[in-house]
Amino acid sequence: AAPGKGAGKNGMGFARRVADLARSRDRALAEYLATSIDVANAQAALALSLRGGELAVESLFLPRGRRVERALFVAAAGSRDAAVSLLARAFDGTPIAAALFAGSPAAIDDAALAWQRDTQARLRRLEPLGLAAVVGLVLQRRDEARRARAAAWSEALGGAG
């Protein structure tokens, strides 16, 4: 199907609206959204690098991130080895860089959540009247839910891992 048509239309439309929100004047919200877009683009490039050239790669790129630009996204989508090394350079100095080498989407999600929580805590101190406290609270709840799911699965599997 052509980009923007069929089942993916609503998902990509929503993603593009979120990308537009990344222009927010509130630094905490803009930072959260830009980071989320960068992480989504990195995960998409990794997934595409495993699939080969059967998809229109450029149509899957989300604009408004700060670390993963379109050219990097397209290059990273070319091969798994290229994806990891290129993306690790783009995320240098963040927990994402190391998580890329773990080979697990969960490692990237966990690293992104930790990075976002740290960023929002810093912004809350710098701009106490901004949205950082609210974004930080949402991220805290997301982390608590993630931990509760992990504990529930561990219990369901007999206490394993």
Side-chain angles (χ1 to χ4, degrees), residues 43 103-110:
Q43 290 175 316
S104 161
I108 295 170
D109 288 338
D110 291 348

Side-chain angles (χ1 to χ4, degrees), residues 28-68:
L29 183 59
E31 186 67 32
Y32 168 75
L33 293 171
T35 300
S36 297
I37 290 167
D38 280 330
V39 170
N41 278 332
Q43 290 175 316
L46 285 169
L48 289 166
S49 73
L50 298 174
R51 290 187 61 117
E54 59 193 67
L55 296 172
V57 172
E58 286 198 38
S59 69
L60 300 174
F61 175 78
L62 295 175
R64 313 261 195 287
R66 296 189 180 131
R67 293 176 179 264
V68 181

Side-chain angles (χ1 to χ4, degrees), residues 101-140:
F101 291 97
S104 161
I108 295 170
D109 288 338
D110 291 348
L113 182 57
W115 181 31
Q116 288 175 330
R117 287 191 69 194
D118 289 347
T119 299
Q120 295 301 319
R122 180 179 47 79
L123 289 173
R124 187 174 58 241
R125 288 188 300 274
L126 295 173
E127 300 172 6
L129 299 178
L131 292 176
V134 175
V135 175
L137 181 62
V138 169
L139 292 170
Q140 179 182 342

Side-chain angles (χ1 to χ4, degrees), residues 1 6 12 14 27 33 35 61 81 92 95 150 152 155:
M12 287 304 288
F14 173 75
R27 196 163 133 194
L33 293 171
T35 300
F61 175 78
D81 293 336
D92 188 39
E155 182 67 26

